[in-house]
Amino acid sequence: MGTIFVIISLPGISTLFETLFSNLSLLLCKIFAWIVMIVIIYIAVFIIVSLYWYSQSGTTAFTSNNGHKVYVEFGNILNLNNGKKQTRKNIVIPVNRCFDTIVDNDLISDRTVHGRFMQALYEEGKFTDSSLNEVVQKRLKEKFAGLAEHLNKKEKRKGNLYRYPVGTIVELEVPDDENMYFLLGLSWFDSKLKANTSLEEYATAVVKLIDYCNDRSQNFPVFMPLFGTTLSRTGLSKKEVLRFIVGMLEMNSKNLFCDVHIVIWQEDKDNISIINY
């Protein structure tokens, strides 16, 4: 040990060590500074990219061979014009298979697209629940006579007692509105008015909807919500529903004769990604 101290104390050796330690400290400081700079740049890029994607209101899922596109976007399916000049859109509204119109949070919840849509019609004075029911039931009987299942009050204690096949669609025109509304029969109510939809029924409804849009869109764009994720009780998450609908549209893309917009409620922006699903 004494020998080491003697060597270090020799003339020039101590200066050499001081220089080495000084250079090493300078090198470590530079390395640390570079690491800090890289981390800061990485964080800044991450924040910028995250903000960019978060600010995006929509993206293109795919483009069909005939040039029509399928979009996934955030918005309000019931207020698509948002003050802009109105052009016709075909808007899909999922409803129960009895096509009920009473929004009372017993038969129809005002938290569903079904309930929100019909409640808005009543508040704007376009229809009353009885006048809307009369229009819809008349069209159902004209087009689907003999296909409905007749229920009794024990099976369904309130509302309409004719239940139509899953995927049944009624077109509805609304006064002073250029849009066409496709009312899609999806769920069925049990004796407690609890909505139910099996995965098989859900798949059938999506297939029938795609076929109907191909036949009846008249080349106007179709807008549809992420239906089947809440009170319909399909058991599917929003992500699973989005993936399924996009997949079904892509499988049928050769027969896609209009643009399709899948609209996710704006308030779900923090819960589902439209980029990675």
Side-chain angles (χ1 to χ4, degrees), residues 28-230:
L28 289 175
C29 288
K30 287 182 178 180
I31 291 173
F32 179 75
W34 275 106
I35 291 173
V36 170
M37 186 178 298
I38 291 171
V39 170
I40 292 174
I41 292 173
Y42 176 81
I43 293 174
V45 170
F46 177 80
I47 292 174
I48 291 171
V49 171
S50 298
L51 289 174
Y52 171 77
W53 286 119
Y54 187 81
S55 66
Q56 297 305 296
S57 59
T59 186
T60 303
F62 68 88
T63 302
S64 67
N65 292 335
N66 55 21
H68 290 293
K69 297 179 182 293
V70 171
Y71 302 94
V72 180
E73 59 198 51
F74 292 105
N76 182 348
I77 193 72
L78 304 180
N79 186 25
L80 296 172
N81 294 308
N82 196 22
K84 301 176 183 178
K85 184 178 179 181
Q86 185 168 340
T87 55
R88 175 176 162 175
K89 303 174 181 66
N90 299 306
I91 303 176
V92 178
I93 304 294
V95 300
N96 66 61
R97 287 161 52 188
C98 289
F99 291 79
D100 289 303
T101 59
I102 301 172
V103 183
D104 60 355
N105 290 317
D106 180 29
L107 183 61
I108 302 172
S109 169
D110 61 9
R111 295 188 296 114
T112 62
V113 178
H114 182 175
R116 291 188 190 188
F117 170 67
M118 292 189 175
Q119 190 62 40
L121 295 181
Y122 308 153
E123 291 174 356
E124 294 169 7
K126 308 290 187 180
F127 294 97
T128 63
D129 57 2
S130 59
S131 66
L132 178 59
N133 192 60
E134 184 179 350
V135 170
V136 173
Q137 293 301 315
K138 179 181 178 182
R139 295 187 178 178
L140 284 166
K141 291 175 182 177
E142 289 174 347
K143 193 171 181 180
F144 305 103
L147 297 180
E149 175 187 2
H150 190 202
L151 308 175
N152 58 53
K153 286 289 186 180
K154 289 184 178 180
E155 294 172 300
K156 184 171 180 279
R157 60 179 171 79
K158 183 187 290 188
N160 300 318
L161 294 178
Y162 283 93
R163 180 187 294 158
Y164 290 83
V166 65
T168 298
I169 296 175
V170 171
E171 293 185 17
L172 176 68
E173 301 95 347
V174 174
D176 302 318
D177 191 334
E178 293 294 326
N179 297 324
M180 179 66 72
Y181 295 90
F182 294 166
L183 306 186
L184 171 68
L186 178 65
S187 60
W188 58 274
F189 287 152
D190 61 19
S191 59
K192 297 180 180 179
L193 298 184
K194 183 175 71 174
N196 297 273
T197 309
S198 69
L199 294 179
E200 182 180 358
E201 288 168 337
Y202 182 78
T204 299
V206 173
V207 170
K208 287 187 176 181
L209 174 62
I210 293 172
D211 289 341
Y212 194 88
C213 291
N214 289 341
D215 291 337
R216 293 291 300 160
S217 68
Q218 308 297 328
N219 289 326
F220 291 107
V222 171
F223 290 76
M224 65 177 71
L226 277 188
F227 56 88
T229 61
T230 52

